[in-house]
Amino acid sequence: FKLRRAFQGYALVPVGGLALSVGYQPFLWQGVLWHRSSLGLATHLSPSLGLGLAVNEFRRGEDKAELSYDWGLFWEPTNWLNLNLSQQNANRAMIAGANLDETWHLGIGLRPLFGQNSLTVVGETVWQNSQEWALAEQRWGFDVRIVPGVHLRMAYVPERQRVDMGIYTALNKAHV
């Protein structure tokens, strides 16, 4: 456990029918710690389909890298099922002389308690393209509502024998 790489934060602010996001995440690239700042925009394309786009800047001291672009789709056809698909580093930006790997995420969420969001069981598969496509990792976990607006999230990553966890909050129906 290394605290300097463990902290990350994101905030989402509703702006009319859109949501503006800002975020920070430490990023380990070729054994060196970089800092990723993100600015994103999300909207509903229909009542059950959402689209998000993000621009990321990577910094290490005075060193900066090319901007990286991400996008994602979220589909919730019923109140007990949601699916998401996203692509990170879609443009394979260059950092310190090497291109970031393009990464695809495919996730599913099931709400077994009659579609209520008090418990969601989640699964995610991640594929990465460095030289050729390969399965990077899978995550299996849950999201539990502690009190209205506050959730505990936990996921196990078997390939790395790692547990990820965090607190998720919702303010005025904008998710952080």
Side-chain angles (χ1 to χ4, degrees), residues 12 17-21 40-54 70-76 83-87 104:
L12 195 65
L18 302 173
L20 177 66
S21 66
L41 192 63
T43 188
H44 281 282
L45 300 176
S46 75
S48 65
L49 183 65
L51 170 69
L53 304 168
D70 306 340
W71 66 270
L73 289 171
F74 179 82
W75 183 45
E76 191 172 38
L83 301 166
N84 64 68
L85 174 69
S86 65
Q87 181 185 26
W104 285 85

Side-chain angles (χ1 to χ4, degrees), residues 5-22:
R5 287 186 287 176
F7 174 79
Q8 59 185 346
Y10 290 88
L12 195 65
V13 179
V15 181
L18 302 173
L20 177 66
S21 66
V22 293

Side-chain angles (χ1 to χ4, degrees), residues 133-144:
W133 286 103
L135 179 66
E137 65 183 29
Q138 293 182 318
R139 295 182 187 103
W140 306 101
F142 61 88
D143 174 307
V144 175

Side-chain angles (χ1 to χ4, degrees), residues 1-157:
F1 177 80
K2 294 185 178 176
L3 186 58
R4 67 185 175 100
R5 287 186 287 176
F7 174 79
Q8 59 185 346
Y10 290 88
L12 195 65
V13 179
V15 181
L18 302 173
L20 177 66
S21 66
V22 293
Y24 164 78
Q25 179 180 23
F27 178 77
L28 199 57
W29 176 247
Q30 297 180 338
V32 177
L33 182 65
W34 288 74
H35 302 277
R36 179 174 102 168
S37 300
S38 300
L39 180 63
L41 192 63
T43 188
H44 281 282
L45 300 176
S46 75
S48 65
L49 183 65
L51 170 69
L53 304 168
V55 176
N56 308 293
E57 178 187 65
F58 296 88
R59 286 184 170 268
R60 182 176 160 257
E62 294 297 315
D63 295 335
K64 282 181 27 177
E66 293 179 353
L67 294 177
S68 171
Y69 304 99
D70 306 340
W71 66 270
L73 289 171
F74 179 82
W75 183 45
E76 191 172 38
T78 71
N79 62 349
W80 57 268
L81 170 70
N82 63 60
L83 301 166
N84 64 68
L85 174 69
S86 65
Q87 181 185 26
Q88 286 184 298
N89 310 317
N91 61 325
R92 299 198 67 202
M94 187 173 285
I95 295 182
N99 290 91
L100 286 172
D101 295 337
E102 176 186 8
T103 306
W104 285 85
H105 297 250
L106 177 63
I108 184 170
L110 298 170
R111 295 189 189 100
L113 302 177
F114 310 105
Q116 299 298 312
N117 72 351
S118 54
L119 173 65
T120 305
V121 179
V122 297
E124 181 181 43
T125 300
V126 180
W127 292 274
Q128 204 164 30
N129 182 12
S130 51
Q131 298 299 325
E132 56 186 61
W133 286 103
L135 179 66
E137 65 183 29
Q138 293 182 318
R139 295 182 187 103
W140 306 101
F142 61 88
D143 174 307
V144 175
R145 182 178 64 207
I146 309 286
V147 295
V150 178
H151 293 241
L152 171 65
R153 289 185 168 175
M154 187 174 288
Y156 178 64
V157 183

